Amino acid sequence: MDFRITADEQSVLFLIIEHLDAGSAPRLDELSRDAGRDVTQDARSLRSKGWILVRDIDDRPTVVGLAPMAVTALRNIRYGRRET
């Protein structure tokens, strides 16, 4: 897993968390709407870095979860902790 992410990727991750916490697997078009911009490239990058799990549901790319290491990393980012 590549832990280097951009600020834009980080903001997309927090949007994904909001959806997942609400019990919804967000489609990329929903994330783009929520972000106010196209997030497809950020989602591709996050997927290739091992942060998110994306599946096609009804022929639409949908984020179905976060990698376990991503959950820990995001918790640390959100609460300002660094685990060594």
Side-chain angles (χ1 to χ4, degrees):
M1 181 171 172
D2 184 348
F3 286 98
R4 296 169 295 176
I5 61 171
T6 67
D8 285 342
E9 291 169 340
Q10 182 176 315
S11 69
V12 171
L13 283 168
F14 285 120
L15 285 175
I16 291 168
I17 290 169
E18 288 177 24
H19 280 270
L20 294 175
D21 283 349
S24 168
R27 295 183 317 263
L28 292 188
D29 60 340
E30 292 173 321
L31 292 170
S32 292
R33 181 196 66 222
D34 292 349
R37 63 182 181 80
D38 185 7
V39 300
T40 304
Q41 188 60 37
D42 292 324
R44 282 189 191 134
S45 178
L46 289 166
R47 184 180 188 185
S48 71
K49 292 176 181 181
W51 284 78
I52 61 174
L53 308 170
V54 177
R55 300 283 181 263
D56 281 342
I57 298 176
D58 297 328
D59 294 325
R60 296 167 91 177
T62 305
V63 179
V64 295
L66 300 174
M69 293 287 290
V71 172
T72 301
L74 287 166
R75 187 177 302 124
N76 292 339
I77 290 169
R78 180 175 271 171
Y79 299 109
R81 291 191 309 251
R82 276 209 133 115
E83 294 183 14
T84 55

